[in-house]
């Protein structure tokens, strides 16, 4: 069974069911985490508040603080929540504390999940393959949209539709949201970048100077890398790995 959950309550339920969960926040949490690990960072520590991040940073000066509020890098942080910034930073061997508005909250909501993976357009094929494999022993798959409470972000919905399309067999059972996401992806697939450049969140990010990030995040299957939450940190998922 593949479910798409559009709010944090759905995320909590997915965690309680012990599903394989994919958190999708295309702009930009999921994409930033994929890029950070691809650039050699050892791990991310996701936290909910700026205060928690600053406290960890004070305790251990080697940690890199990254994140955003209203899209912008918080005061005193080393990096924003920007995949293009991550790409140009020296992250090799670093641990990054990250706090974002919706992405880290969505991740937090499904902590009980059997496996918690992070997905975006840039690692869509890799995350779909990993989730399909991890569900082979009968676990359900839930995709959690990290959109703002009370609405969905189109980039997360279309990316989710792409993941569902990658993972669903002919006779796969799905909830209505998963069927809708798949239908939306089928009609947008050929010009999804153009469509998504006009979406609410993309337009906002452009207005504060992050057009490059938007273009960067709207590319399919660039990284063969799947981040997953292990204990309190997000690290690379290795094929053949067993959850501890
Ligand atoms: C979030 O977690 O709310 C987003 O990643 C915000 C952003 O665009 O940086």
């Amino acid at each position: 069974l593949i479910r798409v959950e559009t709010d944090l309550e759905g995320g909590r339920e997915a965690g309680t069911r012990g599903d394989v969960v994919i958190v999708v926040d295309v702009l930009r949490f999921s994409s930033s985490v994929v890029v950070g690990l691809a650039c050699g960072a050892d791990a991310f520590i996701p936290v909910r508040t700026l205060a928690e991040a600053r406290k960890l940073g004070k305790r251990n000066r080697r940690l890199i603080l990254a994140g955003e509020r209203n899209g912008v890098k918080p005061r005193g942080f080393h990096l924003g929540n920007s995949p293009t910034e991550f790409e140009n930073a020296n992250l090799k061997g670093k641990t990054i504390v990250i706090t974002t508005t919706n992405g880290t909250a969505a991740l937090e909501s499904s902590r009980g999940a059997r496996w918690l993976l992070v997905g975006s357009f840039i690692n869509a094929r890799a995350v779909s393959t990993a989730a399909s494999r991890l569900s082979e022993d009968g676990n359900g798959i839930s995709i959690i949209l990290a959109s703002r409470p009370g609405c969905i972000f189109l980039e997360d919905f279309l990316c989710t539709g792409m993941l569902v399309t990658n993972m669903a067999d002919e006779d796969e059972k799905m909830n209505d949201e998963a069927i809708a996401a798949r239908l939306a992806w089928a009609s947008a697939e050929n010009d999804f970048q153009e469509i998504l450049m006009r979406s609410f969140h993309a337009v906002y990010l452009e207005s504060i100077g992050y057009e490059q990030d938007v273009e960067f995040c709207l590319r399919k299957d660039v990284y063969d890398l799947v981040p997953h939450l292990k204990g309190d940190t997000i690290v690379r998922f290795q094929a053949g790995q067993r959850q501890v």
Side-chain angles (χ1 to χ4, degrees):
L1 176 62
I2 301 181
R3 290 186 177 89
V4 170
E5 303 286 0
T6 56
D7 59 20
L8 299 192
E9 189 44 44
R12 274 186 279 280
E13 283 166 16
T16 309
R17 286 192 297 270
D19 282 358
V20 175
V21 166
I22 307 174
V23 171
V24 173
D25 183 356
V26 171
L27 297 174
R28 298 164 286 171
F29 170 74
S30 296
S31 307
S32 294
V33 169
V34 170
V35 173
L37 293 177
C39 290
D42 279 350
F44 280 83
I45 304 175
V47 296
R48 288 296 307 280
T49 66
L50 296 178
E52 281 173 89
R54 291 194 173 113
K55 200 164 142 192
L56 288 176
K58 266 200 191 128
R59 250 194 251 150
N60 180 352
R61 299 275 173 197
R62 287 197 304 273
L63 293 172
I64 305 285
L65 302 191
E68 57 71 39
R69 286 299 180 267
N70 297 318
V72 179
K73 179 171 85 166
R75 187 176 39 83
F77 276 39
H78 304 97
L79 295 168
N81 175 34
S82 164
T84 58
E85 239 181 85
F86 280 27
E87 233 199 353
N88 295 314
N90 179 9
L91 299 177
K92 208 159 174 37
K94 299 279 187 350
T95 297
I96 304 167
V97 178
I98 189 162
T99 177
T100 71
T101 313
N102 302 304
T104 46
L107 194 79
E108 189 63 42
S109 75
S110 355
R111 262 189 188 270
R114 182 170 300 266
W115 287 91
L116 221 173
L117 312 177
V118 176
S120 200
F121 280 115
I122 58 174
N123 73 335
R125 176 60 60 189
V127 78
S128 316
T129 306
S132 296
R133 253 212 24 240
L134 293 169
S135 70
E136 273 167 8
D137 48 357
N139 303 307
I141 298 176
S142 288
I143 306 175
I144 316 300
L145 272 66
S147 309
R148 186 176 288 175
C151 63
I152 56 162
F153 283 161
L154 188 57
E155 66 277 9
D156 296 336
F157 194 61
L158 288 184
C159 180
T160 293
M162 182 189 179
L163 300 181
V164 173
T165 306
N166 286 345
M167 294 186 297
D169 297 335
E170 285 286 285
D171 54 353
E172 191 78 53
K173 289 205 178 69
M174 295 178 226
N175 68 355
D176 285 4
E177 289 84 346
I179 296 170
R182 190 154 88 146
L183 291 171
W185 175 247
S187 76
E189 184 171 5
N190 293 334
D191 41 11
F192 79 99
Q193 282 139 324
E194 210 181 302
I195 293 168
L196 289 179
M197 290 302 283
R198 300 196 304 268
S199 72
F200 169 80
H201 197 171
V203 170
Y204 175 70
L205 288 173
E206 276 170 49
S207 77
I208 58 168
Y210 285 115
E211 184 171 355
Q212 259 194 324
D213 272 359
V214 176
E215 284 170 6
F216 186 97
C217 296
L218 299 183
R219 297 170 306 147
K220 281 193 292 186
D221 302 327
V222 186
Y223 297 93
D224 188 20
L225 183 151
V226 180
H228 86 112
L229 189 73
K230 189 173 184 205
D232 286 333
T233 59
I234 305 172
V235 294
R236 269 171 186 254
F237 171 74
Q238 315 279 0
Q241 193 174 322
R242 287 271 131 220
Q243 184 67 303
V244 284

